[in-house]
Amino acid sequence: MTFKVPSVSDRLAKNQFVTDEEETHIHIDNSICTTQCPEKWCILACPAEVYSIQADGTTIAEAAACLECGTCLQVCTPGGLTWFYPRGGFGVTFMEG
């Protein structure tokens, strides 16, 4: 009998996300992000690929896909990002470890 180990992508696809339309848990200060962080470490480090750069050079976050790991907070230029866990009942529910 052969057992196929699911890929990380397959496992992550099973997670459930409940988006808080009233209050996002990620806030980017682009005045800091744009001028003080040319590397855009959040884009490089985020395992969920939540962050991207717009045509005008600003950084945006798709909070609905956030895995709530906090990696972005660890690599972000001080003051460039405000991040907190979503309000109760919102955010990610991991369905498989």
Side-chain angles (χ1 to χ4, degrees), residues 19-36:
T19 305
D20 187 346
E21 299 293 337
E22 294 179 27
E23 182 178 326
T24 183
H25 69 285
I26 301 172
H27 300 275
I28 299 170
D29 184 338
N30 269 295
S31 66
I32 293 173
C33 183
T34 304
T35 62
Q36 298 178 29

Side-chain angles (χ1 to χ4, degrees), residues 3-14 96-97:
F3 179 74
K4 181 181 180 238
V5 177
S7 70
V8 172
S9 297
D10 291 341
R11 289 180 178 187
L12 290 175
K14 294 180 181 181
E96 187 171 329

Side-chain angles (χ1 to χ4, degrees), residues 46-63:
C46 178
E49 300 179 350
V50 166
Y51 298 92
S52 61
I53 299 176
Q54 297 292 97
D56 65 0
T58 59
T59 303
I60 61 167
E62 180 55 54

Side-chain angles (χ1 to χ4, degrees), residues 63-80:
C66 181
L67 298 174
E68 301 168 24
C69 66
T71 300
C72 55
L73 263 183
Q74 300 303 312
V75 300
C76 185
T77 299

